[in-house]
Amino acid sequence: MISVVDLHKAWGPRAAVSGVSFEVRKGEVVGFLGPNGAGKTTTMRILTGFIPATSGEVKVAGFDVFDDPYAVRARVGYLPETPPLYPELTVGDYLLFCAELRGVERSRRASRTGEVMERVGLRGWEKRLLGSLSKGYRQRVGLAQAIVHDPPVLILDEPTSGLDPAQVVGIRDLIKELAGSHTVILSTHILSEVEAVCPRAVVINRGRLVAEGDIATIRGMARGGAYTYVEVQGIDGPRLGRLPGVALVEPVGQAGGWAAFRVRAPADPREMLADRAARGEFRIRALESRLPSLEEAFIDIVGREGLA
Amino acid sequence: MSGVLTIWKKEMRVYAVNPTAYAFLAVFMFLAGLFFYLGLTLTGEASMRVLASNLAIAELFVLPMLTMRHFAEERRQGTLEMLLTSPVSPMALVLGKWLASLTLCLLMFLGTLILPLILAYYGDPDWGVVFTTYLGLLGVAAAFCAAGLFSSSLVDDQLAAGLIGIVMLMPFWLVGRAEALVGDEWAAKIQAFGVLSHLESFNRGVIDSADVYYFLAFAGCFLFLTYRSLESRRWR
């Protein structure tokens, strides 16, 4: 549904995006991650046709963004970083205008507007002036304008910024609901958000693609990748490290006579550890294969790049 | 081109609830009344002649202030991004905004219709001349609104946009005094660029196609420049 091939964007001599390629399949929700200034907003603006790329090929819903901009625009719902609102209009008037702007037929405009207000939790707010809304409600209106024409592709730039926790959950549920029938790409730097709504993510840093794949794959990309977490008694770190097949042991902490370690090994060491514990070499109460958290992975991926 | 109508409707709605629009409307009406009174007492004739050329100058100051909001504010609010990523073309956007500001000018003129009615009460004005006078003022409005939109597309700050618009239009007024600087032969050529010289025949009750073309070309040029300016912002 969205395909980006070797995308470059330079502002004069400064490269904002250099050589990014990724693909989003129909019905997928993909998280677009990266630290501030990584080129997320630039990439999204290129996807919506707001700014042209310096080079590369971008296709949205089967249409080339450069050759067929109007076909793309009719099929994309876009929530920019700051919701684009007219403070002097009411919520209802504004959404009707957006529906008309996006070519929703006259007979369906009122019902569509009502539907999306219901969906984003704005029922009963039609008469409120946009200028008087709080940040969370502005964000909801922004989301409502992005989906008012029921576009197959949604591009959301930090959709939950400025919302309170309950609203965040509400918007995430809404995005999950939209998945399947809609293709969604959402940028954020809130990692728990990605884990909550996106099965897959694309990570960029300094304008380059640094990781892409499902969340588990990306978590596995943290330094050392997957590890085995153990809590043991009767064995210390160095001895644990000398066991066959174990490459590295990192102490995590101690509590009540039990020591916790991260055991890294090329092959899964869990069977070996369980067998030895069963033979009475040491006592064990936790033995678990774990992935690093997305935070750890993110910092590792982005940090490594940052140093280069 | 249905986009033009969409934009026009939205602009009219924003004008309707925006206090600045009313303020400038009031300023314009006040100036119209003042010029009318002065014209009447100074010349003692039941005509709109003095009023018309002075109102053109009032337009020079009021219209850029009326149009300054259009692109500057849209950009500041982030709504320009929404408009330019919608299926409505930038040209339709420019035309919709231009037609909306022209509609407001028509409302402004409607308010000043009381003046010829006063003339009719005391004297016997030539209604044909009154009509062409308004037509001339509308031509000026078409040209100045286009120029105001262009200045609004240049900067993010409304007030700066308004002032740039006024400064940009100033030469089209001042060249009318060109004879003070250069010989008569050159003055006539330079004055042809001025707005006032193209109003003269309208004020006499004559619709000269050359003058109509002048205002249309003036507006067309600035509308095109506005369009280019919007496009260029996306390339930077």
Side-chain angles (χ1 to χ4, degrees), chain A residues 188-250:
Chain A
T188 180
H189 44 238
I190 306 164
L191 296 170
S192 59
E193 183 153 298
V194 177
E195 295 203 275
V197 296
C198 312
R200 217 158 67 79
V202 170
V203 186
I204 66 168
N205 187 33
R206 297 181 163 201
R208 287 173 196 284
L209 187 91
V210 288
E212 189 200 352
D214 49 41
I215 300 297
T217 313
I218 290 179
R219 284 171 60 182
M221 286 173 75
R223 198 169 19 231
Y227 58 87
T228 303
Y229 175 81
V230 294
E231 285 178 24
V232 289
Q233 222 173 30
I235 188 167
D236 58 5
R239 273 178 59 210
L240 201 56
R242 282 194 293 276
L243 294 178
V246 172
L248 192 69
V249 173
E250 298 162 20

Side-chain angles (χ1 to χ4, degrees), chain B:
Chain B
M1 280 291 104
S2 65
V4 177
L5 185 67
T6 308
I7 299 295
W8 179 84
K9 281 198 292 193
K10 186 232 79 190
E11 293 305 333
M12 291 315 288
R13 197 171 289 146
V14 172
Y15 269 137
V17 294
N18 204 318
T20 36
Y22 292 100
F24 286 112
L25 224 102
V27 168
F28 187 78
M29 307 270 258
F30 166 75
L31 290 175
L34 183 70
F35 294 143
F36 177 73
Y37 170 77
L38 290 177
L40 223 54
T41 47
L42 289 178
T43 64
E45 56 179 276
S47 88
M48 307 264 292
R49 211 161 40 82
V50 178
L51 174 67
S53 45
N54 280 315
L55 271 191
I57 292 158
E59 282 184 274
L60 191 151
F61 290 97
V62 170
L63 296 191
M65 289 303 191
L66 215 58
T67 52
M68 67 183 179
R69 205 200 76 242
H70 280 289
F71 291 108
E73 192 66 4
E74 297 264 15
R75 193 171 311 113
R76 205 186 52 74
Q77 280 168 189
T79 42
L80 194 63
E81 188 166 353
M82 174 177 81
L83 296 175
L84 291 179
T85 55
S86 79
V88 168
S89 71
M91 199 66 217
L93 177 64
V94 173
L95 285 179
K97 282 178 172 290
W98 179 63
L99 289 176
S101 41
L102 268 189
T103 311
L104 201 73
C105 291
L106 277 179
L107 291 176
M108 230 157 61
F109 296 156
L110 209 65
T112 64
L113 274 183
I114 183 90
L115 305 177
L117 289 178
I118 292 172
L119 280 187
Y121 185 79
Y122 290 105
D124 185 22
D126 183 337
W127 288 104
V129 175
V130 170
F131 174 74
T132 57
T133 300
Y134 274 108
L135 206 62
L137 286 176
L138 186 65
V140 175
F144 287 3
C145 283
L149 282 179
F150 174 62
S151 69
S152 178
S153 75
L154 295 177
V155 288
D156 292 7
D157 184 78
Q158 302 198 32
L159 199 59
L163 294 177
I164 289 172
I166 291 172
V167 170
M168 206 162 62
L169 289 174
M170 212 67 106
F172 293 98
W173 170 32
L174 296 179
V175 291
R177 299 276 171 274
E179 72 272 10
L181 284 175
V182 292
D184 285 347
E185 189 194 343
W186 280 99
K189 287 181 178 133
I190 295 171
Q191 277 165 356
F193 286 97
V195 167
L196 293 181
S197 62
H198 290 277
L199 266 183
E200 272 162 24
S201 43
F202 280 111
N203 295 348
R204 286 198 316 267
V206 177
I207 301 174
D208 185 337
S209 58
D211 298 328
V212 175
Y213 291 144
Y214 170 81
F215 288 119
L216 286 181
F218 196 122
C221 265
F222 276 109
L223 289 177
F224 180 71
L225 284 176
T226 311
Y227 167 72
R228 296 300 292 181
S229 154
L230 282 185
E231 289 279 286
S232 80
R233 287 210 144 246
R234 302 163 63 197
W235 293 87
R236 267 183 259 155

Side-chain angles (χ1 to χ4, degrees), chain A residues 151-201:
Chain A
V153 177
L154 277 174
I155 295 175
L156 311 175
D157 204 349
E158 300 188 7
T160 59
S161 78
L163 300 182
D164 68 42
Q167 293 168 334
V168 168
V169 171
I171 296 293
R172 284 179 191 168
D173 287 345
L174 176 66
I175 294 170
K176 278 190 252 181
E177 251 177 75
L178 293 169
S181 53
H182 298 71
T183 306
V184 184
I185 175 161
L186 76 104
S187 91
T188 180
H189 44 238
I190 306 164
L191 296 170
S192 59
E193 183 153 298
V194 177
E195 295 203 275
V197 296
C198 312
R200 217 158 67 79

